[in-house]
Amino acid sequence: MAANNIVWHDASVTKDERREKNKYQSYVLWFTGLSGSGKSTLANALARYLYESNIQAYVLDGDNIRHGLNKDLGFTDDDRKENIRRIGEVSKLFVDSGQIVLTAFISPFREDRQQVKDILSDNEFFEVYVKCSLDECEIRDPKGLYKKARNNEIKHFTGIDSPYEEPVNPAITVDTESQDIEASVKQIVNFLLEKGLIQN
């Protein structure tokens, strides 16, 4: 049920003021891809690079979020949509606070990713497609989830009995099947530099 009788309260410190003090923009890098493609590993490696460059960034990881904020959600299509809706709203708060947020979620549906983009302002959402074939992700299977899905121990598993909709026009595609994490981080850093989203 939607809440009634609520009024938006303007903050005493604005997003632009936070950005000016930080000396960099705030935005979302939305890592999407199959389970096992390397989203969390890549997001955390990039977060370490940014931290060492004195840039504040925070990783929102799919599994970690489901331990707390979204622990009441399952993996049906409706639950997946609600999962991403909540993360979108949390990401927006991080952007407003002046931070860069790195989200590592399968986020299988294009419509859901677009809805997150729509609640943010221009140049605040950059879709990062972490590209890796299903075959390679199954070989890696770091959590043993594909094996369980193939044995019907897990239902609604993306890539097996639930679809993954590849991004149509991502800001950047990182092929983790053909390049290692170091090269992938470098590719994203170069993208951020070219866009003026970070400075040398």
Side-chain angles (χ1 to χ4, degrees), residues 23 55 192-193 196-200:
K23 308 299 183 190
I55 298 172
L192 297 176
L193 288 168
L197 296 168
I198 60 173
Q199 307 295 325
N200 274 321

Side-chain angles (χ1 to χ4, degrees), residues 6 18 21 28 31 36 39 54 59 61 74-75 101 105 111 114 120-121 123 126-128 130 147 149 182 188 199-200:
I6 56 174
R18 296 179 195 278
K21 187 170 186 177
V28 177
F31 293 78
K39 299 179 299 298
N54 295 315
V59 176
D61 177 81
F75 291 93
V101 57
F105 293 84
E111 179 183 7
Q114 183 63 44
L120 293 159
S121 299
N123 294 316
F126 299 93
E127 191 174 42
V128 181
V130 184
K147 183 178 180 180
E182 184 178 355
I188 298 173
Q199 307 295 325
N200 274 321

